[in-house]
Amino acid sequence: MLPLRLEIFAIATLLCFMGWVAYLIRHRRLGLTETLPWLLSTLVALIVTLFPSALIWVARVLRFEVPSNALFVFAYLYVLWNVLVLTINFSTQTARLRRLAQECALLDAEVRALQRRIEPVK
Amino acid sequence: MSPAPRRSEGAWPSLRVLIIIPAFNEAKNLGAVLTGLRGASPECDVCVVDDGSTDETAKVAAREGATVLRVPLNLGIGGAVQTGYLWAQRRGYDVAIQIDGDGQHDPRFIADVLAPIARGEADLVIGSRFLDAGGYRSTAIRRLGIRYLSWFIRARCGVRVTDPTSGFRATGRRAIELFARTYPDAYPEAEAIGLARRHGLGIVEVPVRMSERIHGASTINGWRSIQYFVMVSLALALWAPADGSGRGPSPDGEE
C-alpha cells in the first residue's frame, strides 16, 4: 500500500523522535508524566505507519472521503491535545510560582523582624 | 514596628486590624498615603506589599514604619493582595483592610468600612464611591463599565454592589481565611465579590470618598479597560453560581 521507502522514512522519523524523547526523560530533562502524551500519540502514529490499513478502516468508519484527510484531522487533534496538556501544566506552574513568591515575601518579612529584635537600632 | 498584632485602641478595642496596601512602583504616592493612615487610624498595623517594584517603594514603606512584604517577582495586583491576606491569616488578625497605594482612598473612611465587620454584620465590606459620599467618581466611560459590572454581578451572583471595582474594602476572619486560600489573579476586585458570595460570605457596601491618584497613571486605560470588562465577565460567568454550599476551588487551594 505505502511505498516501501516512504514507510521506512516515516518509521525512522517516528523512532528517532521517540528515541529523542526517551533520551530526554532518561537524562531528567523532561518529566515522564508531562511527556506521556507525546509518547502515546507517537506510538499511535507508528502503528498507523506500520499498518496503513488501520487508518483506512477508521477513515471509512467515520465516512472520510479520502483516508489522508483523516490523517490530517488526527494529526491536528494530536497537536491540539498536546498543546492543551502543556497549557494546563503552565497554569499549574504559574499558580505554584505565585504561592512560592508569596511565601518568600512572608519569610523575608519574618527574618527582618527577627533581625531587628536581635540587633535593635544600628 | 513590632510585627506582632496589636490590639486596636480605636472604636473597637478588641479587634486586631491590619491594613494591606498593595504597591507596585508607588514610592511617590506611598509616603503621603502612610502619613495619612497614621493620622487617621494610628491603632491599625500597616503592611505594604511591594510587588516587585523597581523604585524605592520598599524603602519608603519601611521608613514610614510599615511592615514590608517584599514579593520577589511582580505577581500583579491579585497575587500582591493575597500576600497581604496570607500575612493577616498567619498573624491572626481579626480584620484586614485593603487600601490602594496611590492615594485614591481617603483613610478617614477606614472606620466606616470597619464598622459592619466589627458589628458582625458582614464578612466583606466594600467602600463605594457611588453611595453619596461625594468626591471623585472616575470618567464617564468607566462609570458605564462599572454600571455594567454591577448589573452583571447582581444577575450572576445575586448581590447588589454599586462599586464592584473598588479596591477599598474590609474583610473579617472568614473572608481573610478564604482570600488567603484562594484569590483571583489578574482583575481581582469584582471576581473576589463573586468568590466571597459563592462561599456564602455576607457582603455590604458603605459610602466612601475617593480622589484621583496623585502621581502616575492608572494601569487600566483604553483597550485595557475593554479587556478588563470582558475578562471579568468571563470569570464571573464561568464560575459556579452562588449557592453558598462552600464548593471551593481546586484542591491545590489555588485557582
Side-chain angles (χ1 to χ4, degrees):
Chain A
M1 189 77 67
L2 220 57
L4 185 64
R5 261 191 220 178
L6 190 59
E7 191 165 6
I8 290 172
F9 169 73
I11 290 171
T13 307
L14 288 169
L15 281 179
C16 280
F17 182 71
M18 283 181 89
W20 186 26
V21 171
Y23 171 85
L24 290 174
I25 294 173
R26 270 176 64 90
H27 288 81
R28 311 250 175 243
R29 282 162 65 188
L30 272 180
L32 184 59
T33 41
E34 288 83 39
T35 30
L36 215 55
W38 284 117
L39 282 177
L40 283 177
S41 41
T42 312
L43 197 66
V44 171
L46 203 58
I47 291 169
V48 169
T49 317
L50 284 170
F51 309 102
S53 50
L55 178 71
I56 293 162
W57 180 78
V58 171
R60 194 175 302 143
V61 167
L62 292 174
R63 297 285 186 274
F64 279 99
E65 295 259 337
V66 192
S68 62
N69 282 353
L71 192 67
F72 286 126
V73 167
F74 290 135
Y76 178 68
L77 289 178
Y78 160 83
V79 173
L80 205 65
W81 179 46
N82 277 300
V83 171
L84 182 64
V85 169
L86 281 180
T87 315
I88 293 169
N89 236 301
F90 170 79
S91 294
T92 314
Q93 295 309 322
T94 307
R96 288 182 179 175
L97 194 63
R98 169 166 136 168
R99 181 45 59 98
L100 259 180
Q102 291 172 332
E103 290 294 338
C104 281
L106 299 184
L107 286 174
D108 170 71
E110 300 272 12
V111 167
R112 274 180 295 122
L114 285 174
Q115 219 162 27
R116 233 169 300 137
R117 211 180 291 173
I118 296 168
E119 16 177 302
V121 192
K122 280 172 218 156
Chain B
M1 172 191 281
S2 150
R6 286 179 299 178
R7 298 221 166 238
S8 154
E9 290 129 30
W12 286 278
S14 62
L15 289 179
R16 291 173 302 183
V17 181
L18 177 71
I19 293 173
I20 300 170
I21 307 176
F24 174 62
N25 289 344
E26 293 282 10
K28 278 185 181 166
N29 296 323
L30 205 54
V33 172
L34 292 171
T35 311
L37 271 176
R38 234 193 349 253
S41 38
E43 69 281 357
C44 300
D45 287 344
V46 178
C47 107
V48 171
V49 184
D50 174 15
D51 191 19
S53 298
T54 49
D55 66 357
E56 307 270 86
T57 297
K59 215 174 263 181
V60 171
R63 195 177 60 219
E64 297 290 333
T67 300
V68 186
L69 302 178
R70 289 191 298 208
V71 184
L73 336 152
N74 178 251
L75 292 179
I77 179 73
V81 167
Q82 192 181 35
T83 311
Y85 281 116
L86 278 165
W87 183 257
Q89 184 217 23
R90 305 267 168 92
R91 294 276 159 161
Y93 283 96
D94 301 305
V95 184
I97 296 174
Q98 207 184 306
I99 279 197
D100 283 358
D102 58 9
Q104 281 195 78
H105 300 152
D106 187 336
R108 282 172 296 175
F109 286 88
I110 283 179
D112 296 44
V113 293
L114 178 62
I117 289 177
R119 290 196 299 262
E121 294 167 1
D123 301 296
L124 172 63
V125 180
I126 295 154
S128 167
R129 74 200 107 161
F130 302 119
L131 289 177
D132 290 331
Y136 176 66
R137 295 192 170 191
S138 188
T139 56
I141 186 84
R142 259 204 256 173
R143 277 206 306 275
L144 194 72
I146 289 167
R147 289 276 291 269
Y148 156 75
L149 264 192
S150 172
W151 167 82
F152 198 99
I153 287 175
R154 195 172 185 180
R156 182 71 181 139
C157 314
V159 59
R160 187 174 168 273
V161 177
T162 59
D163 198 356
T165 64
S166 161
F168 193 175
R169 31 186 75 183
T171 49
R173 289 305 289 251
R174 289 174 65 198
I176 291 173
E177 288 291 332
L178 173 63
F179 290 160
R181 204 167 64 236
T182 313
Y183 198 74
D185 204 10
Y187 312 104
E189 284 85 10
E191 278 181 61
I193 295 171
L195 182 70
R197 185 81 180 115
R198 205 163 78 233
H199 286 262
L201 301 191
I203 303 167
V204 301
E205 266 192 322
V206 297
V208 298
R209 190 190 297 266
M210 294 194 195
S211 46
E212 276 186 88
R213 33 183 305 131
I214 313 170
H215 292 284
S218 161
T219 46
I220 295 167
N221 268 317
W223 281 109
R224 293 287 295 277
S225 57
I226 293 175
Q227 189 193 350
Y228 174 92
F229 289 115
V230 171
M231 295 286 282
V232 173
S233 308
L234 201 61
L236 287 166
L238 285 177
W239 281 353
D243 56 13
S245 68
R247 211 151 24 96
S250 59
D252 243 2
E254 194 79 26
E255 289 293 306

